[in-house]
């Protein structure tokens, strides 16, 4: 049975209801599940000044490497599943790591591929982000206030305290805090994104597709996203997902890609949701969990079948 590495959402952890439900469903099928807690959350310590930011993929790289080291001799599939911010980081990781990815397969749920598409998503900033911003701001003040006061100017820290959206927090708690790393918000979102070096996001007709690092994904990678997601815009999927998948599969004039990118886009479903029926609480998050689990199970069956062409990732000596 596959082993899962879960990356939770922005303010979450292993106690999130959707995470616990996925864990329960996978355990019932005989799998093992590990959850990587984002640095600083759930009372995890942060040594030094390197607090969380969404462009860092080294944490998941080290975690996946440790798990792969344990699983390598058993030839067990190691699958990554990310939700929301965890999905953004997971997508960026599998794209940037390329052939050095320690995961065998991955599924990103409700996470953008190109976060520059969020820059003009004003409805999210007004209606939905304030709730997340309030929780995140409280966490910063309670656990890491001294770190931010040390690095930020008084004006920047005051702006952080007054931030009412994730976008505003990103400016002050990430860009200004890491001024030697990120030039501005767009630069941060560029570095955070699997499609950050993909230039067709500027052109709505999508005619100038130029595959960047997302074409280097070396493992079967499924992106699940609802077009009505109120938090992460459909624009973060690129202006031409069909062209993107074709290019990533090497089926267009670029000739790049290796057939590893699959995109499952639905008209509805919200953010980490996809409620079913007239009584959604009866089914909870079963649709998205079944979709992720079925993708990983399908890959696992192929790997375990005779004459298959897939090989599991190996640690470099």
């Amino acid at each position: 049975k596959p082993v899962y590495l879960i990356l939770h959402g922005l303010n979450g952890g292993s106690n999130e209801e959707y995470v616990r439900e996925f864990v329960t469903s996978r355990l019932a099928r005989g799998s093992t599940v590990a959850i990587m807690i984002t640095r600083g959350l759930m009372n995890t310590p942060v040594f030094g000044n390197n607090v969380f930011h969404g462009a860092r993929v080294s944490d998941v790289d080290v975690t996946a490497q440790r798990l792969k080291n344990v699983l390598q001799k058993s030839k067990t599939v190691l699958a990554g599943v990310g939700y929301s911010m965890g999905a953004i980081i997971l997508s960026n990781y599998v794209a940037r790591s390329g052939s050095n990815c320690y995961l065998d397969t991955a599924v990103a749920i409700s996470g953008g591929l190109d976060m520059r598409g969020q820059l003009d998503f004003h409805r999210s900033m007004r209606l939905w982000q304030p709730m997340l911003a309030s929780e995140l701001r409280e966490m910063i003040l309670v656990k890491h206030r001294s770190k931010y006061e040390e690095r930020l100017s008084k004006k920047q820290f005051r702006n952080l305290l007054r931030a009412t959206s994730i976008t505003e927090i990103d400016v002050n708690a990430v860009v200004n805090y890491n001024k030697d790393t990120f030039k501005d918000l767009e630069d941060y979102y560029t570095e955070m994104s699997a499609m950050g070096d993909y230039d067709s996001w500027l052109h709505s007709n999508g005619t100038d597709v130029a595959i960047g690092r997302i074409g280097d994904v070396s493992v079967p990678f499924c992106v699940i996203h609802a077009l009505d997601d109120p938090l992460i815009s459909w624009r973060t999927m690129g202006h031409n997902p069909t062209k993107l998948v074709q290019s990533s599969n090497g089926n267009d004039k670029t000739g790049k890609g290796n057939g590893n990118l699959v995109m499952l886009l639905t008209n509805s479903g919200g953010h980490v949701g996809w409620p079913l029926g007239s009584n959604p609480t009866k089914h909870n998050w079963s649709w998205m969990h079944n979709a992720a689990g079925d993708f990983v199970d399908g890959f696992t069956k192929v790997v375990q079948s005779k004459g298959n062409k897939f090989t599991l990732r190996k640690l470099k000596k």
Side-chain angles (χ1 to χ4, degrees), residues 91 95-96 113 194-195 197-198 211-218 221 223 244 248 257-258 261:
S91 301
R96 286 182 176 274
L113 295 175
M195 290 169 58
D197 58 348
Y198 181 97
I211 295 300
R213 55 179 170 259
I214 197 169
D216 296 328
V217 173
S218 63
F221 176 43
V223 176
L244 173 62
S248 297
N258 46 27
L261 178 62

Side-chain angles (χ1 to χ4, degrees), residues 43 60 76 88 151 156 160 183 185 244 250 281 306 310:
N43 294 319
V60 62
T76 300
I88 295 170
R151 281 203 182 183
Q156 290 171 341
L160 174 58
K183 295 181 296 184
L185 185 62
L244 173 62
T281 58
K306 294 182 179 179
F310 287 99

Side-chain angles (χ1 to χ4, degrees), residues 10-181:
L10 184 61
N11 295 332
S14 58
N15 57 353
E16 290 287 338
E17 289 296 328
Y18 62 86
V19 172
R20 294 172 64 182
E21 182 180 286
F22 184 79
V23 170
T24 300
S25 67
R26 294 305 103 186
L27 292 179
R29 297 193 180 192
S31 286
T32 299
V33 184
I35 304 169
M36 190 190 85
I37 306 301
T38 298
R39 60 170 65 194
L41 293 184
M42 297 194 74
N43 294 319
T44 55
V46 176
F47 300 102
N49 292 318
N50 291 324
V51 295
F52 169 81
H53 69 67
R56 183 183 289 113
V57 297
S58 56
D59 289 349
V60 62
D61 181 62
V62 171
T63 303
Q65 182 181 15
R66 295 295 186 270
L67 290 172
K68 177 54 68 173
N69 186 49
V70 173
L71 300 173
Q72 190 166 226
K73 294 182 180 179
S74 66
K75 295 183 179 181
T76 300
V77 169
L78 177 59
V81 177
Y83 299 90
S84 193
M85 176 55 77
I88 295 170
I89 295 172
L90 179 64
S91 301
N92 200 20
Y93 169 65
V94 297
R96 286 182 176 274
S97 58
S99 60
N100 294 318
C101 180
Y102 291 111
L103 299 172
D104 297 305
T105 184
V107 181
I109 301 174
S110 294
L113 295 175
D114 192 339
M115 294 306 291
R116 292 172 296 183
Q118 286 288 98
L119 292 172
D120 297 318
F121 197 17
H122 299 294
R123 180 166 58 90
S124 174
M125 297 177 196
R126 293 194 313 268
L127 297 179
W128 301 105
Q129 291 187 27
M131 291 182 289
L132 288 173
S134 177
E135 295 178 10
L136 188 57
R137 194 173 59 241
E138 182 178 349
M139 184 272 291
I140 289 173
L141 292 176
V142 172
K143 298 180 179 179
H144 308 299
R145 179 172 186 139
S146 61
K147 298 180 188 295
Y148 287 96
E149 284 184 317
E150 179 181 343
R151 281 203 182 183
L152 300 179
S153 67
K154 290 183 179 180
K155 181 179 179 180
Q156 290 171 341
F157 187 73
R158 188 164 56 247
N159 289 338
L160 174 58
L161 297 181
R162 295 172 176 174
T164 59
S165 69
I166 297 301
T167 305
E168 292 177 350
I169 288 181
D170 284 343
V171 169
N172 293 286
V174 178
V175 176
N176 291 336
Y177 185 85
N178 299 279
K179 60 183 179 181
D180 294 330
T181 304

Side-chain angles (χ1 to χ4, degrees), residues 194-208:
M195 290 169 58
D197 58 348
Y198 181 97
D199 62 11
S200 70
W201 77 285
L202 294 169
H203 306 278
S204 60
N205 58 18
T207 57
D208 60 336

